[in-house]
């Protein structure tokens, strides 16, 4: 994940920018949980085909972050500290997505409150970053059994960058 930006107090849009970035990190974290859940379920498939893989990915992709974490906790021996931390990030993610602005209505109309919100969002970003590292550390070694290693990921990313550049050149 990228570095957490500083607060510049530049404009009224800054709390929204921090919220948007934090929501993005929440989705990145959910994808990490999905990657872990998928690789944990792969051994259940007798014959791995692209079609079966996509079905599994699609099926698990409909689950909530909490359901995906439950898969990980039930199939892996996580340390109590990591399990508790992942539960905390689940609570933070749910609060962020479902209640953040409602619970901070008074803060949002106060200059001091908006500053506190930005600092809180920075803290949540940091926690999401740590949780992503925990999940990535769990799923990367498992994916390597299927040929998905750092080189594979970098090649896939390079292809995505090339496609984006081609698209930008067309406009």
């Amino acid at each position: 994940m990228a570095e957490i930006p500083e607060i510049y107090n530049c404009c009224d849009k800054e709390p929204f920018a921090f919220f948007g970035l934090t929501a993005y990190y929440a989705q990145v974290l959910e994808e990490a949980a999905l990657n872990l859940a998928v690789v944990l379920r792969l051994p259940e498939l007798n014959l791995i085909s692209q079609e079966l893989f996509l079905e599994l990915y699609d099926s698990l992709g409909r689950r909530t972050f909490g359901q995906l974490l439950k898969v990980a906790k039930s199939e892996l021996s996580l340390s109590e500290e990591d399990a508790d931390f992942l539960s905390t990030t689940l609570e933070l993610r749910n609060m962020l997505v479902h209640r953040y602005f409602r619970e901070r209505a008074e803060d949002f109309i106060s200059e001091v409150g908006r500053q506190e919100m930005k600092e809180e969002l920075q803290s949540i970003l940091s926690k999401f970053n740590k949780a992503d590292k925990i999940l990535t550390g769990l799923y990367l070694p498992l994916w390597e059994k299927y040929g998905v290693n750092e080189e594979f990921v970098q090649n896939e990313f390079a292809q995505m960058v090339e496609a984006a550049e081609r698209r930008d050149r067309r406009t």
Side-chain angles (χ1 to χ4, degrees):
M1 289 189 166
E3 195 172 305
I4 297 169
E6 292 182 36
I7 297 170
Y8 292 109
N9 296 315
C10 65
C11 55
D12 292 338
K13 297 176 186 176
E14 198 172 36
F16 294 113
F18 272 96
F19 177 84
L21 184 60
T22 307
Y24 168 77
Y25 276 100
Q27 288 185 10
V28 169
L29 186 56
E30 289 179 49
E31 285 299 309
L34 176 58
N35 285 331
L36 179 57
V38 168
V39 77
L40 288 171
R41 294 289 193 242
L42 281 178
E44 295 174 8
L45 303 176
N46 293 330
L47 177 63
I48 298 176
S49 68
Q50 175 115 9
E51 185 178 326
L52 285 173
F53 173 78
L54 292 175
E55 281 179 26
L56 176 63
Y57 197 87
D58 186 52
S59 169
L60 290 172
R62 290 190 204 111
R63 293 191 181 181
T64 66
F65 183 48
Q67 291 169 332
L68 294 170
L69 285 180
K70 195 176 282 188
V71 169
K73 288 177 181 179
S74 70
E75 297 199 21
L76 295 172
S77 55
L78 295 173
S79 71
E80 188 174 329
E81 180 183 340
D82 284 350
D84 289 345
F85 189 78
L86 291 172
S87 293
T88 297
T89 59
L90 170 62
E91 291 169 20
L92 284 170
R93 180 257 176 228
N94 289 340
M95 178 274 303
L96 179 78
V97 172
H98 299 292
R99 306 181 310 273
Y100 190 77
F101 283 102
R102 177 175 43 91
E103 291 180 359
R104 284 152 186 79
E106 183 180 322
D107 292 333
F108 193 67
I109 57 176
S110 157
E111 190 173 320
V112 171
R114 285 190 303 276
Q115 183 67 25
E116 290 171 355
M117 289 170 68
K118 291 181 278 188
E119 291 169 4
E120 178 184 40
L121 289 165
Q122 279 183 318
S123 173
I124 294 170
L125 280 166
S126 178
K127 289 178 173 113
F128 285 174
N129 199 356
K130 180 180 174 184
D132 182 62
K133 287 179 181 164
I134 291 169
L135 292 173
T136 302
L138 293 169
Y139 74 70
L140 273 182
L142 299 171
W143 273 109
E144 286 184 3
K145 294 178 193 175
Y146 300 96
V148 179
N149 56 22
E150 187 63 33
E151 182 181 342
F152 177 88
V153 171
Q154 290 304 319
N155 286 337
E156 290 294 311
F157 182 70
Q159 289 177 20
M160 188 182 347
V161 169
E162 280 180 35
E165 289 171 350
R166 282 192 306 276
R167 181 178 173 193
D168 287 346
R169 285 192 297 268
R170 285 183 282 197
T171 58

